[in-house]
Amino acid sequence: MLDDFLIRAGLAGLGTALAAAPLGCFVVWRRMAYFGDATAHAAILGVALSLAAGTPIFLGALVMALVMATLVTTLSSRNVAADTLLGVIAHSSLAFGLVAVSFLPAVRIDIVAYLFGDILAVGRMDLAVIWGGGGLVVALLCWRWSALLTATLGGDLAMASGINPRHERMVLTFSLAVVVAVAIKVVGVLLIASLLIIPAAAARPFARTPEGMAVLASGLGAISALLGLRLALVFDTPAGPSIACTAAILFAISTILSQFPGLRRG
């Protein structure tokens, strides 16, 4: 019989992966990988502000992720180079967050747990937040799936179909912020992108439809989370990085298998 903390850890990893993987498909399609990193890095500043104000960590991380994403979206529309802007905001917010934490001597905090995750310390309330936030993201993606796909194909096509591409981008921005906020406890801000991007990238060569890619990415994300957790327990390695390494191995296997034409998508 598994211990309670192992069951909670497995459920936390599963809930995070099932929400992150479908969203990761849009991140891959839209080439928003760096955007996801910047959003995750901004969350550490939200953690520091939450600790200072005595508010839930999830709330602070979510607010800061949304603020960062909105700031990038606004400034990038004013002819500011997107990659430069993302680089400045990502590293600046992470640095300010780490400095802000150092000004909280009265608060005992293991900053490594927020950088690389602490899935084995997940509690019942954390599980409720992870599955609640993950369920919200999945429901939002299902509701806006057609519009999101159309906007991803092209802004002109979206406008011709009566869809506001800016609105759909904000839907993705909000979803990304929620996933970042719920994933901090599982893999940490430095490894969140691994659950967003790697399962989707591994699923891409074998998917015939966007929906198929999302389902396959979810399956690979779930395998990465559960198998990575198992390997961490067997080899006594950090759980968050072990999950990311497992996802990377699955991507390597996918890349090798994709070289065989009979296994690729039609």
Side-chain angles (χ1 to χ4, degrees), residues 15-233:
T16 303
L18 293 179
L23 179 61
C25 292
F26 286 100
V27 173
V28 170
W29 293 331
R30 287 173 170 255
R31 300 181 180 179
M32 294 172 59
Y34 205 5
F35 186 85
D37 268 335
T39 304
H41 289 178
I44 198 66
L45 180 57
V47 170
L49 295 178
S50 292
L51 292 172
T55 58
I57 298 297
F58 168 80
L59 181 60
L62 176 62
V63 170
M64 281 308 304
L66 283 173
V67 168
M68 193 288 307
T70 303
L71 180 64
V72 170
T73 302
T74 302
L75 293 180
S76 61
S77 64
R78 299 182 178 179
N79 296 325
V80 180
D83 56 343
T84 302
L85 181 63
L86 286 172
V88 170
I89 292 181
H91 300 299
S92 297
S93 57
L94 179 61
F96 276 111
L98 295 175
V99 170
V101 169
S102 69
F103 284 101
L104 302 174
V107 180
R108 296 186 60 184
I109 175 176
D110 181 11
I111 192 62
V112 175
Y114 291 103
L115 293 176
F116 299 103
D118 192 10
I119 191 173
L120 297 179
V122 167
R124 296 180 183 274
M125 184 58 66
D126 295 319
L127 274 181
V129 170
I130 290 171
W131 279 90
L136 174 63
V137 170
V138 172
L140 189 59
L141 291 179
C142 290
W143 175 43
R144 303 299 302 172
W145 184 262
S146 179
L148 286 170
L149 279 179
T150 303
T152 299
L153 290 173
D156 292 338
L157 177 62
M159 294 295 290
S161 302
I163 297 171
N164 186 344
R166 183 177 178 85
H167 177 265
E168 302 310 319
R169 181 178 177 84
M170 292 308 298
V171 170
L172 285 179
T173 297
F174 173 78
S175 300
L176 187 59
V178 173
V179 166
V180 165
V182 302
I184 283 180
K185 194 75 171 182
V186 178
V187 291
V189 298
L190 297 182
L191 298 174
I192 288 174
S194 65
L195 283 182
L196 274 170
I197 300 169
I198 299 179
R204 192 171 191 173
F206 305 100
R208 291 183 172 86
T209 63
E211 293 79 9
M213 179 173 166
V215 172
L216 183 55
S218 297
L220 292 175
I223 293 173
S224 299
L226 298 179
L227 183 57
L229 179 60
R230 175 61 180 172
L231 293 176
L233 294 174

Side-chain angles (χ1 to χ4, degrees), residues 2 5-6 9 120 227-239 242:
L2 291 176
F5 82 94
L6 290 178
L120 297 179
L227 183 57
L229 179 60
R230 175 61 180 172
L231 293 176
L233 294 174
V234 171
F235 296 105
D236 192 24
T237 55
S242 296

